[in-house]
């Protein structure tokens, strides 16, 4: 307990010095602005009503309400089998986290369904986490996708409980379209603008971060998929009416990730009334708002290239993947869940549980050489206890799916992508206030498996007291 983790720290996957960064870029939703718990309820209810009113789903599904404790980000959904699950970095399903509707699928059924617990590469989601081109899995990486997963599970539950025969692929598409319509038809945007104090968490530190960067002569830009009036009202609320003075370039309705790949779409200027102008854009001017466009034109007009640019976003694929793989920008991931998970990991109960779980694992590894019947009974008891401890550890974070970052023993598929596409990651932009603008982030050198001795080969001083006791016995 003497080495508690700091929820307000910035963590590095790749060495990076802020002294090299001249230009800072930002996404809007869940990066510059955070939303209250009411927003996901709004999205769930609106999409549920669209299913009933426009897709002719049974009115009885209106009895289902949004449960914020059900799903976590990063889960995979098997579109054809209608099951939601957590998958690790090696494409293995974490047994006990597979849900059909709102009920867990027994391990034996999962193993029979997938002929084991491994999901082949060709069945996994595509590069952007989508179910397309033969991929049967969809990965939900967006924070906005939490209501979508819950709605899918609720409607599946209704059909299963009432023995209604349905096509899972159609259900997935209808729910996806309804969630999309909540955004593109402006339902969500109008609701937030009408009651901004209810839905937006006032983040006074957002302005402090932007002001700090501006005071040190850093250039800043905003690239978001959200519309102009919505962004303007939100930024006025959290930063102030002069928010545009802080940004050198503002781009709305960018349609990321297409913005980073499609060279054909030109920029359009948006005037003060929100009207699109037809002028050809020769320069991206400070104080103006631009719509659509593409990154290649952006680079041509600004000259902002390579590792002097650091871009922050919450979506690992749409915001960060193309930038780090194709354009050499430095990337920062905003992971709001990180703060709550670290606070859980700092509790005495979690520390004690993990210490004993590691001890049990060490005992199993070292004592498995004893093949007599009595020893094997003890080993089976330890395995049973270890399984129970793992389930307890999972429930610390989320009763159904556990931690965003770990399965029982491996990193999650989400963490694998986070580690690949983000140089640094943090709970919120406010974490930047804890660091100097010339700070260098160094990733921790964690031992590889072959760099650690086996339990049986470790010196006595390295082992836990409980393990020494077991050896003596």
């Amino acid at each position: 307990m003497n080495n508690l983790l700091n929820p307000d720290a910035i963590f590095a996957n790749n060495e990076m010095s802020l002294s090299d960064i001249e230009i800072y870029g930002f996404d809007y939703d869940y990066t510059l602005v955070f939303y209250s718990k009411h927003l996901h309820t709004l999205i769930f209810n609106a999409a549920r009503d669209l299913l009933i009113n426009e897709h002719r789903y049974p009115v009885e599904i209106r009895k289902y309400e949004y449960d914020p404790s059900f799903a976590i980000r990063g889960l995979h959904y098997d579109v054809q089998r209608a099951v939601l699950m957590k998958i690790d970095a090696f494409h293995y399903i974490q047994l006990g986290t597979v849900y059909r509707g709102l009920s867990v699928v027994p391990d034996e059924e999962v193993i029979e369904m997938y002929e084991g617990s491994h999901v082949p590469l060709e069945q996994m989601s595509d590069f952007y986490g989508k179910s397309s081109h033969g991929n049967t899995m969809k990965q939900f990486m967006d924070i906005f996708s939490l209501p979508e997963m819950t709605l899918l599970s609720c409607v599946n539950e209704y059909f299963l409980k009432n023995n209604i025969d349905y096509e899972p692929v159609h259900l997935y598409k209808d729910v996806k379209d309804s969630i999309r319509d909540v955004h593109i038809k402006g339902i969500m945007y109008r609701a937030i603008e009408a009651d901004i104090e209810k839905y937006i968490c006032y983040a006074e530190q957002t302005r402090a971060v932007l002001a700090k960067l501006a005071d040190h002569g850093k250039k800043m830009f905003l690239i978001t998929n959200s519309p102009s009036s919505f962004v303007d009202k939100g930024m006025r609320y959290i930063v102030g009416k002069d928010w545009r003075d802080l940004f050198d370039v503002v781009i709305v309705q960018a349609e990321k990730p297409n913005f980073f790949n499609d060279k054909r779409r030109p920029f359009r200027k948006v005037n003060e009334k929100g009207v699109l102008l037809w002028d050809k854009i020769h320069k991206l001017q400070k104080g103006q708002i631009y719509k659509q466009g593409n990154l290649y034109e952006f680079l041509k007009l600004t000259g902002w290239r390579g590792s002097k640019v650091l871009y922050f976003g919450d979506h690992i694929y749409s915001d960060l993947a193309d930038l780090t793989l194709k354009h050499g920008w430095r990337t920062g991931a905003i992971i709001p869940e990180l703060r709550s998970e670290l606070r859980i990991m700092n509790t005495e109960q979690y520390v004690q549980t993990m210490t004993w779980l590691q001890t049990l694992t060490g005992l199993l590894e070292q004592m498995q050489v004893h093949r007599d019947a009595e020893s094997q009974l003890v080993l089976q008891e330890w395995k049973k206890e270890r399984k129970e401890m793992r389930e307890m550890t999972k429930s610390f974070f989320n009763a159904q799916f556990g931690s965003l970052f770990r399965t029982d023993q491996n990193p999650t598929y989400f963490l694998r992508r986070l580690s690949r596409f983000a140089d640094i990651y943090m709970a919120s932009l406010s974490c930047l206030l804890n660091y100097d603008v010339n700070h260098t982030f160094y990733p921790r050198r964690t031992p590889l498996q072959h760099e650690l001795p086996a339990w049986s080969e470790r010196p006595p001083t390295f082992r836990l007291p409980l393990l020494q006791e077991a050896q003596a016995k």
Side-chain angles (χ1 to χ4, degrees):
M1 296 296 291
N2 294 327
N3 192 25
L4 295 180
L5 302 163
N6 181 6
D8 297 313
I10 295 177
F11 303 92
N13 291 320
N14 196 10
E15 185 173 325
M16 186 185 75
S17 177
L18 293 181
S19 62
D20 297 329
I21 306 301
E22 300 174 11
I23 304 127
Y24 285 76
F26 305 93
D27 180 32
Y28 177 68
D29 298 299
Y30 287 106
T31 299
L32 289 173
V33 63
F34 284 82
Y35 297 103
S36 71
K37 60 183 180 181
H38 302 293
L39 181 59
H40 287 175
T41 301
L42 165 73
I43 295 171
F44 178 92
N45 290 343
R48 180 197 61 200
D49 292 346
L50 285 171
L51 279 178
I52 295 169
N53 299 329
E54 297 192 8
H55 296 276
R56 299 294 183 260
Y57 276 67
V59 294
E60 288 80 8
I61 67 171
R62 193 170 272 124
K63 70 180 181 180
Y64 291 100
E65 297 181 352
Y66 179 64
D67 179 4
S69 66
F70 176 67
I72 62 171
R73 204 159 40 128
L75 299 177
H76 280 79
Y77 183 76
D78 189 323
V79 175
Q80 295 179 341
R81 295 184 174 97
V83 288
L84 188 66
M85 70 192 77
K86 189 164 77 169
I87 294 178
D88 73 12
F90 304 98
H91 296 190
Y92 281 92
I93 300 165
Q94 181 179 358
L95 297 177
T97 69
V98 181
Y99 276 74
R100 182 183 289 115
L102 301 175
S103 303
V104 67
V105 180
D107 294 349
E108 301 77 19
E109 187 177 340
V110 174
I111 291 169
E112 182 180 355
M113 198 186 308
Y114 292 95
E115 298 181 356
S117 60
H118 182 262
V119 180
L121 178 63
E122 62 269 16
Q123 293 182 26
M124 289 293 288
S125 51
D126 69 9
F127 180 78
Y128 294 107
K130 297 179 180 179
S131 170
S132 60
H133 307 297
N135 305 92
T136 59
M137 293 283 189
K138 153 76 178 178
Q139 189 181 18
F140 291 101
M141 296 293 276
D142 193 351
I143 299 175
F144 283 126
S145 66
L146 291 170
E148 183 176 356
M149 285 185 274
T150 307
L151 183 57
L152 264 172
S153 299
C154 287
V155 181
N156 272 314
E157 180 78 3
Y158 174 79
F159 285 152
L160 292 167
K161 291 292 184 186
N162 291 278
N163 296 314
I164 297 173
D165 191 26
Y166 70 103
E167 173 52 63
V169 175
H170 297 332
L171 171 60
Y172 167 74
K173 184 179 183 303
D174 291 343
V175 171
K176 181 180 73 171
D177 289 348
S178 297
I179 291 286
R180 180 202 62 199
D181 286 347
V182 173
H183 292 264
I184 66 172
K185 289 185 176 180
I187 298 171
M188 183 188 82
Y189 301 130
R190 288 193 297 272
I192 293 174
E193 290 180 36
D195 197 350
I196 206 162
E197 292 184 359
K198 177 180 178 180
Y199 292 107
I200 290 185
C201 297
Y202 185 73
E204 65 277 1
Q205 289 183 312
T206 298
R207 182 178 179 90
V209 170
L210 298 176
K212 177 181 178 179
L213 296 176
D215 289 345
H216 286 85
K218 306 298 183 181
K219 294 184 180 297
M220 289 180 283
F221 64 94
L222 170 63
I223 303 177
T224 175
N225 288 350
S226 293
S228 174
S229 63
F230 175 73
V231 173
D232 183 59
K233 288 187 178 180
M235 291 299 285
R236 283 173 179 267
Y237 180 69
I238 64 171
V239 177
K241 62 182 180 180
D242 59 342
W243 70 271
R244 282 198 231 170
D245 295 340
L246 294 169
F247 290 90
D248 294 87
V249 178
V250 176
I251 300 167
V252 299
Q253 291 178 280
E255 297 182 20
K256 295 176 292 182
N258 292 337
F259 179 86
F260 301 128
N261 298 290
D262 190 344
K263 299 180 181 181
R264 298 167 296 177
R265 300 181 313 155
F267 286 106
R268 295 195 74 169
K269 189 184 291 186
V270 184
N271 71 11
E272 293 296 328
K273 295 182 179 180
V275 177
L276 292 173
L277 306 181
W278 45 262
D279 312 49
K280 184 174 178 62
I281 305 301
H282 296 282
K283 182 181 180 182
L284 297 176
Q285 298 174 320
K286 187 170 185 174
Q288 298 293 328
I289 294 181
Y290 300 90
K291 179 182 175 181
Q292 294 182 346
N294 65 84
L295 184 64
Y296 298 92
E297 189 70 12
F298 178 88
L299 299 176
K300 178 182 176 182
L301 295 173
T302 62
W304 296 345
R305 298 176 182 275
S307 57
K308 65 182 180 180
V309 184
L310 171 58
Y311 185 79
F312 291 96
D314 69 289
H315 198 301
I316 309 303
Y317 298 144
S318 296
D319 287 325
L320 308 180
D322 289 310
L323 293 178
T324 188
L325 291 178
K326 300 178 182 179
H327 303 287
W329 285 11
R330 309 310 296 266
T331 51
I334 305 300
I335 312 294
E337 301 94 333
L338 186 62
R339 186 171 277 121
S340 60
E341 290 219 6
L342 288 174
R343 285 173 177 160
I344 291 168
M345 292 169 68
N346 283 337
T347 62
E348 185 174 357
Q349 185 183 15
Y350 179 84
V351 173
Q352 289 181 347
T353 302
M354 286 306 301
T355 302
W356 180 234
L357 187 56
Q358 290 294 87
T359 303
L360 272 176
T361 304
L363 286 166
L364 284 166
E365 182 179 346
Q366 187 171 6
M367 300 304 177
Q368 63 184 316
V369 295
H370 301 286
R371 298 297 178 183
D372 60 281
E374 187 178 1
S375 296
Q376 286 298 307
L377 283 174
V378 174
L379 286 167
Q380 290 305 314
E381 285 297 314
W382 284 348
K383 287 179 180 179
K384 179 183 176 183
E385 184 176 358
R386 181 171 179 253
K387 183 178 180 181
E388 293 170 353
M389 297 291 284
R390 281 178 160 182
E391 187 63 29
M392 183 189 301
T393 304
K394 184 187 84 172
S395 67
F396 285 152
F397 301 99
N398 176 280
Q400 292 74 231
F401 302 101
S403 168
L404 175 64
F405 305 101
R406 278 193 179 276
T407 58
D408 287 329
Q409 70 277 351
N410 293 329
T412 58
Y413 194 83
F414 176 91
L415 183 62
R416 174 185 174 185
R417 308 303 265 178
L418 173 65
S419 302
R420 178 65 185 90
F421 300 140
D423 291 299
I424 56 175
Y425 62 101
M426 65 208 76
S428 70
L429 282 177
S430 62
C431 298
L432 283 169
L433 295 173
N434 302 322
Y435 298 86
D436 185 82
V437 292
N438 294 312
H439 185 86
T440 298
F441 296 100
Y442 296 98
R444 298 288 180 265
R445 182 183 170 90
T446 52
L448 302 174
Q449 291 300 307
H450 65 271
E451 294 175 335
L452 282 172
W455 279 90
S456 59
E457 297 169 350
R458 297 180 188 185
T461 54
F462 194 83
R463 300 175 194 152
L464 294 168
L466 286 168
L467 184 54
Q468 294 179 45
E469 261 183 51
Q471 285 181 306
K473 290 177 181 178

